[in-house]
Amino acid sequence: MTASKKIDVFISKEAIDKRVKELAEMINRDYQNQEIIIVCVLNGSFIFCADLVRYITVPVQIEMVSLSSYEGTESSGEVSFRLDVKQSLVGKNIILVEDIVDTGLTISFLLKHMKLKNLASLKLCSLLLKRARLKIEVPVDYLGFDIEDKFVIGYGLDFDGHYRELPYIGVYGA
Ligand code: IMP
């Protein structure tokens, strides 16, 4: 049973909150006097995105996309849309907000898709990056934490649908 496994805190609630605030400050500085659209990559980013946007002080709209690419603990490498943005993004400043870049395949697919939309600008904000796992170069403009190759859960991240509700980022204990 997943519920009985021991989970160790890997990144504390306090450390996450501090870093999320810092990321929002960078975004606020970079987009002074401009409007942005934050595109939350569901499902894993919903908590990060909700916390981040509450520190954003420039005018912001929030959209959601959902991609299917991941089952269990291994990325399948095949990506498709479950949900795409409905409004036109032409001429808009877009920031994709992702929970974690692992192999990079999912976000590369989305970046490629977004680049076709005649945007004013496109940036990527990811809470986590597992640099050692990258299979493709991914430009992360706003990065929360560069982490080692561990499977992490909590703060929106799941293992088979569980643990998203944890207020910290955790790893399975020994
Ligand atoms: P990628 O395409 O391999 O970069 O995978 C990206 C997606 O895989 C993320 O948006 C997560 O949903 C999921 N993922 C990757 N690593 C982890 C992890 O350590 N914990 C939970 N989900 C993960």
Side-chain angles (χ1 to χ4, degrees), residues 69-70 75 98-106 130 150-152 157-158:
S69 68
Y70 215 78
S75 182
E98 178 63 297
D99 52 354
I100 185 164
V101 177
D102 182 25
T103 62
L105 295 172
T106 311
K130 284 191 216 165
K150 281 178 184 294
F151 193 82
V152 289
L157 290 144
D158 75 309

Side-chain angles (χ1 to χ4, degrees), residues 41-45 67 69-79 98-108 126 128 130 133-136 138 147-154 156-160 164 169-171:
V41 186
L42 295 173
N43 295 334
S45 307
L67 303 164
S69 68
Y70 215 78
E71 273 155 34
T73 57
E74 274 305 313
S75 182
S76 67
E78 283 180 31
V79 186
E98 178 63 297
D99 52 354
I100 185 164
V101 177
D102 182 25
T103 62
L105 295 172
T106 311
I107 204 66
S108 296
S126 183
L128 304 171
K130 284 191 216 165
R133 294 260 308 161
L134 281 175
K135 288 190 178 158
I136 186 166
V138 175
I147 63 166
E148 58 204 275
D149 182 8
K150 281 178 184 294
F151 193 82
V152 289
I153 48 181
L157 290 144
D158 75 309
F159 173 65
D160 275 350
R164 293 194 198 274
I169 293 170
V171 288

Side-chain angles (χ1 to χ4, degrees), residues 10-110:
F10 183 59
I11 307 176
S12 70
K13 184 175 183 291
E14 293 71 26
I16 295 170
D17 187 51
K18 180 169 177 282
R19 191 64 188 138
V20 171
K21 230 183 254 176
E22 289 169 355
L23 293 174
E25 279 161 12
M26 288 179 220
I27 293 171
N28 291 333
R29 253 197 324 268
D30 290 352
Y31 291 90
Q32 271 173 35
N33 306 318
Q34 296 181 71
E35 266 191 61
I36 57 175
I37 299 182
I38 294 246
V39 176
C40 173
V41 186
L42 295 173
N43 295 334
S45 307
F46 77 109
I47 293 180
F48 172 42
C49 196
D51 283 348
L52 182 75
V53 296
R54 281 177 284 178
Y55 293 123
I56 297 282
T57 52
V58 299
V60 60
Q61 290 183 53
I62 299 145
E63 290 281 353
M64 312 279 162
V65 295
S66 173
L67 303 164
S68 67
S69 68
Y70 215 78
E71 273 155 34
T73 57
E74 274 305 313
S75 182
S76 67
E78 283 180 31
V79 186
S80 63
F81 272 96
R82 284 199 205 106
L83 172 74
D84 197 359
V85 177
K86 298 287 183 299
Q87 68 164 301
S88 166
L89 300 181
V90 174
K92 305 288 170 91
N93 296 309
I94 305 298
I95 304 177
L96 303 180
V97 173
E98 178 63 297
D99 52 354
I100 185 164
V101 177
D102 182 25
T103 62
L105 295 172
T106 311
I107 204 66
S108 296
F109 170 87
L110 187 56

